[in-house]
Amino acid sequence: MSETSVQSEQKQSSPEETFKAQTLADYRLAVESREASLIGRREVLTGKAKFGIFGDGKELPQIAWAKVFKDGDFRSGYYRDQTFMMAIGALSTQEFFASLYADTNHDHEPASAGRQMNGHFATQSLDAAGNWKSIAAQKNSSADISPTAGQMPRLVGLAEASKHYRQNKGLKDFKQFSHNGDEIAWGTIGNASTSEGPFFEAINAAGVLQIPMVISIWDDDYGISVHSKYQTTKENISEILKGFQRDGEESGYEILRVKAHDYPSLIETYEKAEKIARKKHIPVMIHVTEVTQPQGHSTSGSHERYKNEQRLAWERDFDCIKKMREFIVAAGLADEEQLDALEKEAKKAAREAKAAAWKEYIAPIKEEIATVRSLLAEAIAAAPEAEAIKAMDQELAASAEPLRRDGIAALRKSLRYLREDQSGLKERIKAWLEEQNQANHDRYSSHLYSESALSPMKVEGVAPQYSDESPNVDARIILRDNFDRILGERPEVMIFGEDSGKIGDVNQGLEGLQDKHGINRVYDTGIREATILGQGIGMAMRGLRPIAEIQYLDYLLYALQVMSDDLATVHYRSKGRQKAPVIVRTRGHRLEGIWHSGSPMGAIINAVRGVHVLVPRNMTQAAGFYNTMLDSDDPALIVECLNGYRLKEQMPDNLAEIRTPLGIPETIREGKDLTIVSYGSTLRIVMEAAAQLAEFGIEVEVIDPQSLLPFDIHHSIRESVAKTNRLLVVDEDVPGGASAFILQQIVDVQEAYRVLDSKPQCLSAKAHRPAYGSDGDYFSKPSAEDVFDKVYSMMHEFNPAQYPAI
């Protein structure tokens, strides 16, 4: 049938006929999705899948929601939204099962290529080369995470992006990202997860910002096995949040309530929510009540263990699909026989999708197993200890549903029995295993960082240049002038955080920039670190380049969960098909007291792999890092030195061009006797000690790694250690913190142990956080005297005669 005839036929359909056809199509989709959930649970319980968590019971609300979800809109949800994803055409039933089986083929499982457990949905914002698609022309889902309420901070940023696209005239040509800011960010969360702090923080932030955000709360009265009476005051989240309800004089939320099994009311409610949010940029909360959960929380437990028979009976009676069927019959849209036939078709489609997904998943694995068994057969013939290899082969042969690891493990074990092989078989097996290692790296370990042409690792360093006319200025001026230039040249950049706007941040690195560039480019936020970071993530996912400021490094801990679970894994968990190149700006290192001298670097670098951690020792380096990262497509944390803003630095003549390279250490003092590695503010202490050591004939080489993630990519520190044969790592983190990481990188990864003449050592802060005041700093963190004494003792051990004990 031609497109013209289809359009003609559609024009001839009456509203009643259209409603009937759409209702029956919705019912069929609900049944197919439910059947997929039921089959999925069985696949887990029979061992074909590892774990299962499903969206049964929420089919109708999600279908109603899908009707008003437009191109350019974004979802930030949780692991129950399968029917919605199916309804918008972003998830086929076969892809649903491919996810359940952890199929690593991105064509089969487009959300994460098997990296995430089922129920974690995503669309692709990037092509295979890492370039942006036109996300304004498609329906979008930001990649899900498991931590409850963890999706909420990101949701705020996704919605705030629309505000910027609507208000910032400089973004009018960014058409691949937005239709003039008309997009809505839609969030979903379970009722129990609204008990989490990120939920309340995000709800408050969106109310303050007045952004187009719609949050659906699926309320089934439980959080796994825990009833809502233990979760929520009054057992009703919309009741306790009604103070957010807008009125004629004050802004706020529109709060709507609807039952999960009331199909007409669901459609009406979501249509109302969409109009309010899309046109007026007013946030909306939809409390969807009387949700059922037919299979309980997940395959890890049965809800019969914690629900009484009365509750279970109620859930059967008020199941949304059962209620929809009753509605269809009562409205005369179809009879029982027609619905039976429709259900039969839908269930058959689910079964066929399951079979097709399994076939596609298992076929390449069986091919690999066949290759393994062929090599094992040769090994059985060649190895003196053939029985052990034969047992492994028989175990593989007996497995009807082998895993990739089974074949790899067997072949690796076979090498133990071929250790004396001279026929070439051992080398052929090793070569095949190496090929598989590379393939499995791509399947399971690639894309932690950008692999595109815009990777920051491909940005060439440009050193600052100076002349006789280059003035000495307070270091903060270098940052301010660089930010001023960035804001003037790049309309997609905005800088925001606590005290960032009106006063130009607490250290005046943004002085006057709000007045110059506008309140929508440089602005203040509330004291809410998790959503500050979430704002950055969401806006970066929509093509903007936010710089999210956390006032002090110590306060980053409020946002560390968001940074670790969400930001650091975006690129990895979507296997390179989503990115969030937000820059997190903060300040830390030595100053005053327990919460204002922050250097919890060990905690940070071990929690945020996937984010570049950059530690400039001065503001010129910092400005270069901002320039480098804005030329790239990865996220970064830039830690400025808190006690460096008023120190004098020379203003580079080429401020706009400087690029501080990642992973390239800088030697800031040449020496021959011992290598000291340190970073940030502590380098000033080290340099002071180095001058004192020189008076006693000890010349230390001082190296600033500049970045901790990545760390010294060309192993240049090893070259220094090869010259001095001694190594000291100086750090103001706790013992075993960042110093342990640095030492592991140099001694283990760079194999500097081969060129050491004495034990490598660390000098760190005390195990506690620093006490207040200058004396507290001196006695809590390494001092110049500490560095001197440590180096001198190492030299004394080497040559007691030349360096007598002090």
Side-chain angles (χ1 to χ4, degrees):
M1 184 180 293
S2 69
E3 183 176 346
T4 303
S5 61
V6 169
Q7 292 174 344
S8 175
E9 183 175 312
Q10 289 176 340
K11 289 179 182 178
Q12 294 174 1
S13 299
S14 67
E16 292 79 9
E17 291 171 328
T18 300
F19 176 72
K20 174 182 177 179
Q22 187 60 65
T23 300
L24 293 178
D26 290 346
Y27 183 72
R28 189 192 185 286
L29 173 59
V31 172
E32 184 171 339
S33 179
R34 174 67 61 84
E35 186 68 10
S37 296
L38 298 173
I39 295 172
R41 183 180 180 87
R42 291 196 294 272
E43 293 295 276
V44 174
L45 296 179
T46 58
K48 288 175 72 174
K50 187 73 173 178
F51 180 79
I53 196 159
F54 307 105
D56 45 306
K58 301 166 181 66
E59 292 89 355
L60 292 200
Q62 292 177 18
I63 287 171
W65 164 26
K67 292 179 183 298
V68 293
F69 193 89
K70 307 295 185 187
D71 285 349
D73 285 1
F74 260 86
R75 167 190 169 273
S76 182
Y78 85 134
Y79 39 75
R80 303 291 188 186
D81 295 344
Q82 73 195 46
T83 309
F84 168 77
M85 295 297 290
M86 293 174 176
I88 65 169
L91 177 74
S92 69
T93 308
Q94 185 169 330
E95 289 167 346
F96 167 88
F97 284 107
S99 172
L100 186 68
Y101 300 137
D103 193 324
T104 58
N105 187 320
H106 230 155
D107 292 333
H108 302 164
E109 204 281 87
S112 74
R115 294 185 175 185
Q116 295 229 73
M117 70 174 65
N118 82 299
H120 291 65
F121 307 110
T123 52
Q124 297 184 3
S125 301
L126 311 175
D127 63 21
N131 301 310
W132 285 107
K133 294 183 175 183
S134 180
I135 58 176
Q138 66 180 33
K139 295 176 174 63
N140 303 285
S141 174
S142 58
D144 291 344
I145 59 176
S146 285
T148 56
Q151 71 274 25
M152 292 296 296
R154 178 196 338 134
L155 174 64
V156 176
L158 290 168
E160 187 183 1
S162 289
K163 184 176 183 179
H164 286 285
Y165 282 120
R166 180 171 288 189
Q167 295 181 352
N168 184 348
K169 295 180 180 178
L171 298 173
K172 61 181 176 61
D173 294 327
F174 284 56
K175 298 187 184 303
Q176 73 183 114
F177 299 111
S178 178
H179 300 290
N180 302 313
D182 290 339
E183 299 80 19
I184 295 173
W186 302 81
T188 64
I189 192 169
N191 58 291
S193 296
T194 64
S195 302
E196 295 276 13
F199 171 80
F200 283 94
E201 189 172 313
I203 289 294
N204 180 58
V208 170
L209 290 166
Q210 289 293 281
I211 48 180
M213 182 180 105
V214 181
I215 177 75
S216 296
I217 301 169
W218 312 136
D219 191 343
D220 61 12
D221 278 340
Y222 286 85
I224 306 183
S225 66
V226 180
H227 192 269
S228 60
K229 66 183 177 182
Y230 301 110
Q231 306 273 5
T232 309
T233 303
K234 299 184 179 181
E235 302 180 34
N236 189 320
I237 188 62
S238 61
E239 176 66 19
I240 65 172
L241 292 179
K242 65 183 180 182
F244 284 86
Q245 176 67 52
R246 66 189 179 119
D247 57 31
E249 299 179 0
E250 295 180 321
S251 60
Y253 275 76
E254 185 67 25
I255 299 178
L256 307 173
R257 299 171 183 83
V258 65
K259 295 179 180 179
H261 48 77
D262 188 341
Y263 176 71
S265 294
L266 285 164
I267 294 173
E268 180 182 351
T269 299
Y270 276 93
E271 287 177 347
K272 180 178 180 180
E274 187 237 0
K275 289 177 182 177
I276 294 170
R278 198 178 303 279
K279 300 302 180 184
K280 299 180 180 180
H281 273 201
I282 291 170
V284 182
M285 183 188 307
I286 304 176
H287 186 188
V288 183
T289 63
E290 298 191 12
V291 178
T292 65
Q293 199 157 271
Q295 297 188 112
H297 174 265
S298 67
T299 54
S300 62
S302 170
H303 63 162
E304 285 83 3
R305 293 165 56 196
Y306 53 86
K307 293 176 183 175
N308 60 32
E309 183 52 43
Q310 182 180 6
R311 171 70 191 196
L312 292 170
W314 179 88
E315 291 201 11
R316 289 191 291 270
D317 289 340
F318 284 85
D319 183 287
C320 64
I321 293 180
K322 179 176 183 292
K323 286 294 184 182
M324 186 177 187
R325 180 177 176 122
E326 293 172 359
F327 164 77
I328 291 172
V329 173
L333 302 177
D335 58 28
E336 299 280 0
E337 186 176 347
Q338 290 172 311
L339 293 179
D340 287 343
L342 188 149
E343 289 179 11
K344 185 176 180 180
E345 291 175 5
K347 292 177 180 181
K348 179 183 178 184
R351 291 193 301 272
E352 290 175 345
K354 184 266 293 186
W358 177 256
K359 183 178 179 180
E360 286 190 336
Y361 163 73
I362 201 66
I365 295 177
K366 286 189 172 181
E367 287 181 12
E368 289 179 28
I369 296 297
T371 301
V372 168
R373 293 198 64 208
S374 175
L375 290 168
L376 288 177
E378 292 187 58
I380 291 168
E385 302 169 85
E387 289 304 315
I389 302 175
K390 187 180 294 183
M392 291 187 289
D393 180 61
Q394 290 172 346
E395 186 175 351
L396 283 177
S399 176
E401 296 160 0
L403 296 173
R404 183 168 275 121
R405 70 175 188 183
D406 297 335
I408 297 295
L411 210 53
R412 290 175 67 184
K413 289 177 182 177
S414 75
L415 290 173
R416 302 170 189 176
Y417 306 102
L418 293 169
R419 56 193 181 277
E420 297 181 3
D421 175 72
Q422 300 297 319
S423 69
L425 175 61
K426 180 174 69 172
E427 296 307 315
R428 284 196 290 118
I429 291 175
K430 290 171 69 175
W432 189 84
L433 284 172
E434 179 54 32
E435 290 179 6
Q436 295 308 303
N437 283 340
Q438 294 177 15
N440 287 324
H441 173 83
D442 176 70
R443 291 182 180 114
Y444 304 109
S445 300
S446 65
H447 294 91
L448 179 59
Y449 295 95
S450 171
E451 299 180 9
S452 80
L454 292 174
S455 166
M457 307 309 296
K458 298 177 182 177
V459 177
E460 293 290 333
V462 178
Q465 297 176 359
Y466 303 99
S467 63
D468 292 341
E469 288 74 38
S470 302
N472 281 324
V473 298
D474 284 352
R476 70 176 183 87
I477 300 300
I478 295 174
L479 280 176
R480 184 199 64 185
D481 289 1
N482 195 54
F483 285 137
D484 183 17
R485 176 193 58 80
I486 288 169
L487 290 163
E489 295 175 356
R490 304 187 62 152
E492 71 273 25
V493 172
M494 61 284 303
I495 308 174
F496 56 93
E498 298 158 13
D499 300 299
S500 299
K502 187 172 179 126
I503 68 169
D505 88 42
V506 290
N507 296 103
Q508 298 290 278
L510 299 169
E511 178 190 25
L513 297 188
Q514 184 181 86
D515 290 339
K516 182 173 181 179
H517 296 282
I519 198 170
N520 295 317
R521 301 291 306 286
V522 183
Y523 54 98
D524 293 312
T525 68
I527 300 177
R528 40 177 167 78
E529 285 79 8
T531 47
I532 290 172
L533 183 56
Q535 286 171 251
I537 296 170
M539 288 192 284
M541 282 183 158
R542 292 191 58 191
L544 299 173
R545 294 307 307 267
I547 300 175
E549 182 172 316
I550 303 295
Q551 192 168 86
Y552 297 110
L553 184 64
D554 304 87
Y555 303 159
L556 184 71
L557 298 184
Y558 278 109
L560 191 58
Q561 183 271 325
V562 179
M563 181 175 281
S564 179
D565 287 325
D566 197 352
L567 179 60
T569 68
V570 167
H571 204 56
Y572 172 77
R573 71 179 188 265
S574 64
K575 200 184 177 186
R577 298 306 175 91
Q578 289 191 6
K579 61 183 176 183
V582 58
I583 298 174
V584 182
R585 179 191 182 210
T586 190
R587 49 194 65 82
H589 309 311
R590 313 176 76 112
L591 193 63
E592 300 292 345
I594 294 173
W595 291 290
H596 294 83
S597 55
S599 295
M601 300 306 300
I604 292 168
I605 61 178
N606 288 299
V608 302
R609 304 298 170 92
V611 176
H612 297 289
V613 177
L614 314 179
V615 284
R617 69 179 183 275
N618 58 42
M619 302 311 159
T620 302
Q621 275 185 315
F625 275 137
Y626 286 110
N627 295 344
T628 296
M629 295 312 303
L630 285 170
D631 282 351
S632 74
D633 61 353
D634 261 341
L637 169 68
I638 300 178
V639 185
E640 299 165 10
C641 291
L642 186 52
N643 57 5
Y645 294 104
R646 300 292 174 177
L647 299 179
K648 296 297 182 181
E649 292 184 34
Q650 200 171 13
M651 174 69 76
D653 295 340
N654 62 334
L655 182 61
E657 286 76 41
I658 61 172
R659 300 290 185 274
T660 308
L662 274 60
I664 309 294
E666 182 179 355
T667 300
I668 59 177
R669 181 185 174 104
E670 299 281 349
K672 61 181 176 55
D673 295 315
L674 184 144
T675 299
I676 300 179
V677 178
S678 190
Y679 63 91
S681 295
T682 301
L683 279 165
R684 290 196 287 275
I685 300 290
V686 170
M687 291 296 282
E688 181 183 345
Q692 296 171 8
L693 286 160
E695 297 175 14
F696 291 81
I698 300 172
E699 294 294 338
V700 297
E701 186 146 289
V702 181
I703 299 179
D704 174 12
Q706 301 195 95
S707 63
L708 297 181
L709 297 177
F711 184 87
D712 189 11
I713 58 175
H714 298 310
H715 296 185
S716 61
I717 294 175
R718 186 190 191 280
E719 297 174 10
S720 173
V721 177
K723 176 174 65 173
T724 67
N725 307 118
R726 276 165 287 279
L727 172 65
L728 174 64
V729 176
V730 183
D731 176 42
E732 58 176 306
D733 197 1
V734 296
S739 59
F741 166 76
I742 293 171
L743 194 64
Q744 181 266 341
Q745 290 288 301
I746 300 170
V747 175
D748 182 13
V749 176
Q750 299 185 13
E751 297 187 341
Y753 69 88
R754 297 180 183 274
V755 295
L756 284 168
D757 287 343
S758 60
K759 183 183 75 171
Q761 297 192 41
C762 295
L763 176 61
S764 64
K766 297 293 194 293
H768 57 77
R769 297 188 183 194
Y772 172 64
S774 297
D775 282 346
D777 174 77
Y778 183 88
F779 293 107
S780 299
K781 292 189 173 184
S783 65
E785 290 72 37
D786 292 329
V787 176
F788 182 99
D789 291 347
K790 174 66 78 170
V791 171
Y792 192 91
S793 69
M794 293 173 71
M795 297 305 294
H796 167 74
E797 180 186 24
F798 160 65
N799 191 336
Q802 185 175 354
Y803 305 104
I806 296 176

